[in-house]
Amino acid sequence: MSSTVVILGSPRKGNSEAIAMAIANEAKAKGNTIKEYRINSLKNIKGCQSCYGCKKAGKCVVKDDITPILDDMREADSIIVATPLYFGHATSQYRTVEDRFFGFLGGDFAPNIAAGKKVAIVVTCGTGLEGAQKTAAEIEGVFGGFFKMDVVGKIVKGGMMAPNAAESDAAIMAEAKAIGQKL
Ligand SMILES: Cc1cc2nc3c(=O)[nH]c(=O)nc-3n(C[C@H](O)[C@H](O)[C@H](O)COP(=O)(O)O)c2cc1C
């Protein structure tokens, strides 16, 4: 059975989460197990401490509520990441987790997490579509560039101010389902 980890970077139950979960639910319907993490709900999280402990240990040595996400990502067959655009960037919640991916690079800076995992990326915004596309491309660079994973789908949407804008848009939900089929 394939497993999927979902990393939700919004503090609210809004558009990026609705799209990410539509992808995940489609993957679940075809048999994947799903583990989702809403970063904002985690109590004890730290950013990367730049201790370089990961370069000796082969994984991040900071122990907190992000640790299970990193462990599950190693085991997962696919990963869904979702973030709103805040001031032209991914949210601080998402970025906090992303910096901890440093532990997926070994002492030689080669990836020590399995290549080839499938990845879906979701970025939603108000009017800053260009910024959202740039942010999605940056996230793709992390997964596809650094970790040699296979980015199978990206959903980048503007006009997503009301929290239910995505889930009430049938075309967006259909796009999400199509990506879920690939995981
Ligand atoms: C603190 C904050 C900063 C934001 N900055 C931007 C921005 O720079 N550009 C933009 O188009 N929308 C911006 N927005 C709007 C959100 O990106 C948009 O509503 C997004 O769809 C929210 O995602 P969510 O529904 O998953 O929470 C901002 C919203 C907040 C709360």
Side-chain angles (χ1 to χ4, degrees):
M1 194 189 285
S2 295
S3 60
T4 302
V5 172
V6 190
I7 301 174
L8 301 167
S10 177
R12 69 178 184 174
K13 209 168 159 47
N15 300 292
S16 55
E17 177 168 330
I19 298 169
M21 292 315 297
I23 297 172
N25 286 333
E26 189 68 12
K28 189 178 180 182
K30 66 179 196 65
N32 290 26
T33 60
I34 308 293
K35 255 193 183 171
E36 77 223 42
Y37 290 97
R38 189 177 292 116
I39 305 162
N40 198 60
S41 303
L42 304 177
K43 299 263 179 299
N44 171 31
I45 67 172
K46 287 191 197 76
C48 172
Q49 300 296 297
S50 192
C51 67
Y52 282 71
C54 57
K55 302 295 163 264
K56 287 196 192 114
K59 61 182 201 168
C60 181
V61 297
V62 176
K63 297 293 171 230
D64 63 4
D65 292 346
I66 292 175
T67 307
I69 305 179
L70 303 174
D71 290 343
D72 285 345
M73 285 173 72
R74 285 188 188 277
E75 299 301 316
D77 300 289
S78 58
I79 300 163
I80 303 169
V81 301
T83 178
L85 189 74
Y86 280 7
F87 289 101
H89 302 279
T91 60
S92 56
Q93 288 90 339
Y94 176 69
R95 285 286 300 112
T96 300
V97 172
E98 189 181 61
D99 280 351
R100 297 278 296 279
F101 298 167
F102 200 44
F104 295 145
L105 297 172
D108 52 1
F109 288 90
N112 60 28
I113 185 168
K117 294 177 195 287
K118 294 175 186 166
V119 178
I121 297 165
V122 179
V123 181
T124 62
C125 69
T127 54
L129 195 57
E130 211 174 297
Q133 279 158 347
K134 185 165 172 277
T135 294
E138 284 165 358
I139 295 171
E140 181 168 16
V142 171
F143 285 97
F146 280 100
F147 304 133
K148 310 296 174 212
M149 294 183 190
D150 185 11
V151 178
V152 296
K154 276 192 289 183
I155 296 186
V156 182
K157 295 292 172 193
M160 299 280 112
M161 295 307 284
N164 65 347
E167 72 182 358
S168 58
D169 186 321
I172 295 178
M173 290 296 107
E175 215 179 308
K177 277 185 167 195
I179 294 174
Q181 280 293 328
K182 298 186 196 172
L183 304 184

